[in-house]
Amino acid sequence: MIQFMMRLYKFLFVYFTLFCFFCPLQAQELRNPFNFPILLSGNFGELRNNHFHSGIDFKTQGVEGKPIYAVADGYVSRISVSPYGYGHALYLDHPEGITTVYGHLLKYNPAIAAYVRENQYEQESFTITLYPEPERFPVKKGELIAYAGNTGSSGGPHLHFEVRDTATEEPMDPIPYYKDAIKDTRPPKIQGIMIYPFEGRGMVNGSSCPVELKPVTDKAGNVSLTQKIEAWGDIGIAVKAYDYMDNTANIYGVKSILLQVDTTILFRSYIDRFAFSETRYLNSFVDYHEWRENRSFFMKSFVEPGNKLRFIESINRGIIFVQEEREYTLTYRLADDYGNEATLRFVITGKETPVSAPETTGRAYFHWKSDNQFGAKGVRLMIPKYSLYDDIYFKYQVKEDSQALAATHILHDKWVPLHQPARLSIRLQTDTLENKEQLGMVRMQKGKPIWVGGKYREGWIDADIRDFGSYTIRQDTKGPVITPVNKDKWAAKSEITIRVSDNLSGLNTYRGEIDGNFVLFEHDGKSGILSYPLHSDGLSRGKHTLTLTATDACGNVTEYTDSFSW
């Protein structure tokens, strides 16, 4: 009897715990944030540069300015304005335990906009993050909160929308809230397969290099691989695929991936939520070198030891052990939120082949679970443990240039991501520049320097890096370039527009004044345009003096002063 009561108590505890955990998130339906039918340009979990997409992107009929309405009762818990990222963004907390996020907004409703502008003037900063008290901006479901735009790092007019667990701030897939409002009868499409022999442990078609295979589709719509595949030892598989929806030409991310070898499910991924602290693991989930070289995402169905993504399940980390001379039948099943599925079945033939030894000559062995250090003439590299996703044989090269500030140090011979920053130090060959703040590290990409920055230290520049590649030191002695845009039309358009650009280290701060008083210029990070509506602060008609000061990341300052009439 006691055991029965204990089992009953345990059952009830688990039941009510789950009930309390899940039910609040589903208690209130979310309305469409617009008053027109839903079409998506992006879905949850899509593969992006260094991160998974944390929401869904609502189309706005190709234009800015569409009214956005609160999807549920709640209150404004956070407001952020930035030239980059989400641009103008709004966060609403709801009593069900969720937070909804609205990004790339054109503007807020009048009450919120006035509050933001007041705080921007108090801080004399366009970039701002605010946390209003809950009672300041309560909202009702269907209430106008903002207007859709294209601010921040947006690539076109749309609404970036997220649903987060308020307690953990983890983004969750919003599509279940809108499943009935979105039509999707189209399955994913598999566009490529990549087979990887593990270095020193496997071979594919007689080679230790990855082999890419392209599926073909017959008239009946069946997808297959026609190429012959022979392998031996330890191999891994990756798939390139996209999803599709009705009534749009966009491509989307795949919700779930399953890889079966013979009768064993070796790998499964199902992305419905993640933490922002996990999102950079995308660089291990995909073939990072392929992405950087060809902008092509192959999703691995094997798990590197340093990949801690929680939405992946695998046996033997998804590694296929080809140890018998027989046929191994592999089956991929890819699905979307609606259960539409793509299937690909193919055979790998086991053929015993001598396995090539890994290339180790002149290379340093880095273990993913350890701190790793490397040093050579004029360079030091320190990689914290768990920054690599797998062990590598690190290759170093150098290009000497006696006329340069420093040699160019080439870290490894392929793209390798770092989960946590590594510390790179490069020594100056010429250390005569008086202003040390004007020195910084750059990564050379196709002959073009990409500013990394760093700090000067007794003839060295120390900087944090997130990729291997080619690094050297440059100096930035030029201030930003300030260029008025169509000044003759400022009065007619009631708006001052100025473009600010920088040759190397990038714009760091700017300040605008009219007649000696601070005025708030908005900054579009994509175009470098600063804009100020002349009617926004009750500026009197007549002649005025504009002063704009811009400072780059090296402290170089440019001041632009001009008069204008309005």
Side-chain angles (χ1 to χ4, degrees), residues 66 81 95 115 156 212 454 462 479:
K66 294 291 184 180
V81 180
Y115 171 77
E212 182 179 353
D462 303 322

Coordinates of all heavy atoms in Angstrom, one line a residue, residues 66 81 95 115 156 212 454 462 479:
K66 N 3.5 49.0 -42.3 CA 2.2 48.2 -42.0 C 2.0 48.2 -40.5 O 3.0 47.9 -39.7 CB 2.3 46.8 -42.5 CG 2.4 46.7 -44.0 CD 1.0 47.1 -44.7 CE 1.0 46.9 -46.2 NZ -0.3 47.3 -46.8
V81 N 16.9 50.1 -29.4 CA 17.1 50.8 -30.7 C 18.6 50.7 -31.0 O 19.5 51.0 -30.2 CB 16.8 52.3 -30.6 CG1 17.0 53.0 -31.9 CG2 15.3 52.5 -30.2
P95 N 1.1 37.1 -19.5 CA 0.9 36.4 -18.3 C 1.0 34.9 -18.4 O 1.2 34.2 -17.4 CB -0.5 36.8 -17.9 CG -1.1 37.3 -19.1 CD 0.0 37.9 -19.9
Y115 N 8.3 58.2 -25.4 CA 9.1 57.7 -24.2 C 10.5 57.4 -24.7 O 11.5 57.8 -24.0 CB 8.4 56.5 -23.6 CG 9.2 55.7 -22.6 CD1 9.3 56.1 -21.3 CD2 9.8 54.5 -23.0 CE1 10.0 55.4 -20.4 CE2 10.5 53.8 -22.0 CZ 10.6 54.2 -20.7 OH 11.3 53.5 -19.8
G156 N 15.5 43.6 -46.0 CA 14.3 44.0 -46.7 C 13.1 44.2 -45.7 O 13.2 43.7 -44.6
E212 N 31.2 14.9 -52.5 CA 29.9 15.5 -52.6 C 29.1 14.8 -53.7 O 29.6 14.5 -54.8 CB 30.0 17.0 -53.0 CG 28.6 17.7 -53.0 CD 28.7 19.1 -53.4 OE1 29.9 19.7 -53.4 OE2 27.7 19.8 -53.6
G454 N 41.9 45.3 -31.2 CA 42.8 44.8 -30.2 C 43.5 45.9 -29.5 O 43.2 47.1 -29.6
D462 N 47.4 42.6 -29.1 CA 46.6 41.5 -28.6 C 45.1 41.7 -29.0 O 44.6 42.8 -28.8 CB 46.7 41.4 -27.1 CG 48.1 41.3 -26.6 OD1 48.9 40.6 -27.2 OD2 48.4 41.9 -25.5
G479 N 40.3 59.8 -40.1 CA 39.0 59.9 -39.5 C 37.9 59.5 -40.5 O 38.1 59.4 -41.7

